[in-house]
Amino acid sequence: MVNQSADGVVSDTNSGDADSNENPAVRRLDDWNAEELQALVDDNGSPLYVLDLDRVRENYRRLDQAFPDAEILYAVKANALGTLLETIHEAGAGLECASAGEVTRALAAGAPGSAVRYTAVNPPARDLDVVVDAWEDHPDLTITAGAEDTIDRLADRGYDGRLCLRVNPGIGAGHHEKVRTGAAAKFGVPAERAVDVLADAADRGFDVVGIHAHVGSGVQSEQLDAHREFVSRMGDLARDVADAVGDLEFVDVGGGFGVPYREDEDPLDLDAVAEATRDAIGDIDATLSIEPGRYVVADAGVLLTDVNTVKEARETTVVGVDAGMTTLARPAMYGSYHPIRNLTADDGAARETVPQTIAGPICESGDVFCTDRELPASERGDVLAIGNAGAYGYEMANQYNTRPRPASVVLEGDEVRLARRRETIDDVTRLETDRRRSDRDSNPETGR
């Protein structure tokens, strides 16, 4: 079967008929080749993000098979690396963007306006300015507004293009309370007001094309009932909007498809999610849209880090590494579990397994990747791999403690490419340095 997206990108989904062993539902950390990963650190230094583009394509293909009649947009916020955006768009996906910067990245990756959707959440003025300017050159771009006030602000800027409304369905799900968006007041117009808001927008000349909602991030199979109820509410709303305003082009039920971070967790039953989605949404005269992010990239990425310190503390062995909460924020921010593997200990030499606390170099007690986890005894100079780092890894990296952000490499077949160079301290301080230099240039007499 051949699937053609709205912008003409064609993908051969027959390739997904291969045995499931060739495209398993999850790639575990132990499935990565230890010697090849260590060689990447030898060549590129540490910490280092690694992203396998072939695995990205496999994950997209699985989604395309499960949702053959749906429009798939990749949620750029999961990982916005330009090389990745080019890869996923060429595979057939559109790009869902949460900021003006992501819209700029999507267009730079070669996506036409018809494949780009901007979902505005309390957008700063400069974001709206940038996106409306982009719309002038890409009139098929779609803006999703999550507040009536945002619609007014778009009108003030002369925008009367393709408008989607984000609604709040009053139900949320996900791996952590901080990412359950479906019922959070921050997100979307209350569903009971959506028809009136869209009718008013249509009267004002906007091209009303869709409705959107997102239940949350990291939804697992056991939360399928919440997902089904959420989608059912979206189907009911779509029919109400069609009766009052006219047929919609699409109904977007977001993404949030979870992946198993723990070694003993089963992968998401994607076919069951797809079937439940189709059943719950019911009969609508519109295209179903989904926006997976984590599912596409999480298990396609690992973070590599060097052991620099091994310390016997009172109650545990502390293993210090050169990555920290500035490199991968999820454990500190959400208490998230990531699998960890000592690649050097895989060389065949038997090592005793001992409980270890893997800690970074940041001056915060929360800067730990795990506490008392049973791992082969670490030694200074070992290379550790942290799994499922392809989603919300580099995207949440920061420069706290004046720490430069890491480099990123991508794998494609037998090829390894540096996709993002490592930052330097000069990079971190450059804006300040330029400011001081500008002051000196403008005030030569003071020399300050």
Side-chain angles (χ1 to χ4, degrees):
M1 181 178 73
V2 173
N3 182 53
Q4 183 166 341
S5 63
D7 58 328
V9 175
V10 176
S11 58
D12 183 359
T13 58
N14 279 331
S15 59
D17 294 334
D19 185 88
S20 60
N21 290 330
E22 298 180 21
N23 185 7
V26 60
R27 185 182 191 180
R28 307 290 186 180
L29 182 56
D30 284 346
D31 295 333
W32 294 77
N33 184 287
E35 291 183 2
E36 292 178 0
L37 291 179
Q38 287 196 90
L40 294 177
V41 172
D42 292 340
D43 293 340
N44 298 278
S46 171
L48 181 69
Y49 272 104
V50 180
L51 186 69
D52 186 343
L53 297 180
D54 292 328
R55 180 60 183 173
V56 168
R57 293 187 182 94
E58 290 174 0
N59 289 339
Y60 173 78
R61 188 170 71 239
R62 198 178 314 106
L63 284 161
D64 195 30
Q65 290 176 321
F67 292 90
D69 299 320
E71 175 189 34
I72 302 175
L73 296 99
Y74 167 67
V76 174
K77 69 177 183 176
N79 190 324
L81 184 67
T83 304
L84 166 66
L85 300 187
E86 294 170 1
T87 298
I88 193 66
H89 175 61
E90 288 170 359
L95 301 174
E96 186 270 330
C97 306
S99 70
E102 290 181 2
V103 169
T104 301
R105 281 178 175 267
L107 295 172
S114 59
V116 176
R117 196 169 296 166
Y118 168 53
T119 305
V121 180
N122 300 329
R126 64 177 64 89
D127 271 38
L128 290 183
D129 292 341
V130 169
V131 174
V132 171
D133 283 348
W135 165 70
E136 299 282 356
D137 295 325
H138 303 274
D140 290 338
L141 183 149
T142 301
I143 295 180
T144 300
E148 295 174 73
D149 195 41
T150 301
I151 298 175
D152 294 338
R153 295 167 70 200
L154 288 169
D156 291 343
R157 287 165 169 78
Y159 182 86
D160 60 358
R162 294 169 53 84
L163 181 73
C164 172
L165 184 69
R166 181 168 187 165
V167 301
N168 187 310
I171 185 170
H175 72 87
H176 192 279
E177 62 182 10
K178 293 182 179 179
V179 298
R180 296 168 192 157
T181 58
K186 174 180 177 178
F187 300 98
V189 172
E192 60 271 19
R193 288 170 41 201
V195 172
D196 290 341
V197 172
L198 285 173
D200 179 68
D203 289 343
R204 296 169 67 181
F206 286 93
D207 182 12
V208 173
V209 294
I211 55 174
H212 166 281
H214 178 64
V215 72
S217 185
V219 177
Q220 296 291 350
S221 297
E222 61 269 20
Q223 297 172 314
L224 195 55
D225 286 346
H227 173 78
R228 186 182 290 107
E229 175 60 24
F230 153 71
V231 174
S232 177
R233 294 184 189 186
M234 290 297 290
D236 290 341
L237 178 59
R239 288 181 283 275
D240 290 343
V241 172
D243 290 341
V245 182
D247 288 338
L248 296 172
E249 184 179 308
F250 62 84
V251 177
D252 191 329
V253 297
F257 304 141
V259 299
Y261 281 80
R262 295 181 181 272
E263 293 88 342
D264 58 353
E265 290 178 340
D266 293 328
L268 181 70
D269 187 342
L270 191 62
D271 290 333
V273 173
E275 182 178 1
T277 302
R278 286 188 289 267
D279 290 345
I281 202 165
D283 185 19
I284 57 171
D285 190 13
T287 297
L288 172 68
S289 294
I290 59 173
E291 296 176 356
R294 183 190 314 271
Y295 190 90
V296 177
V297 292
D299 72 353
V302 295
L303 171 63
L304 305 180
T305 181
D306 279 338
V307 173
N308 53 49
T309 306
V310 179
K311 178 176 67 175
E312 295 299 329
R314 291 187 183 91
E315 299 175 351
T316 187
T317 297
V318 177
V319 176
V321 296
D322 61 0
M325 59 188 284
T326 56
T327 319
L328 178 65
R330 296 188 72 253
M333 185 169 184
Y334 304 122
S336 300
Y337 179 98
H338 281 262
I340 299 176
R341 177 183 174 193
N342 189 318
L343 300 175
T344 310
D346 287 347
D347 61 7
R351 294 196 192 181
E352 180 185 6
T353 298
V354 296
Q356 300 167 61
T357 296
I358 311 298
I362 309 304
C363 189
E364 299 278 352
S365 58
D367 183 32
V368 295
F369 292 113
C370 68
T371 301
D372 290 337
R373 189 176 303 180
E374 295 283 344
L375 295 167
S378 296
E379 301 175 1
R380 192 186 328 141
D382 286 354
V383 177
L384 305 186
I386 301 176
N388 277 348
Y392 305 103
Y394 192 95
E395 288 309 301
M396 297 177 74
N398 58 82
Q399 299 169 335
Y400 180 46
N401 278 184
T402 309
R403 297 278 177 185
R405 289 175 294 186
S408 299
V409 297
V410 295
L411 312 179
E412 192 166 20
D414 295 329
E415 184 181 2
V416 179
R417 300 197 305 276
L418 180 66
R420 181 190 286 118
R421 70 168 176 83
R422 186 177 309 282
E423 282 187 339
T424 65
I425 293 176
D426 283 345
D427 290 324
V428 178
T429 62
R430 190 175 307 282
L431 295 180
E432 297 175 44
T433 301
D434 288 350
R435 176 183 57 77
R436 290 196 295 268
R437 183 180 299 116
S438 177
D439 289 345
R440 287 196 299 271
D441 292 344
S442 60
N443 298 285
E445 293 183 2
T446 66
R448 294 186 300 173

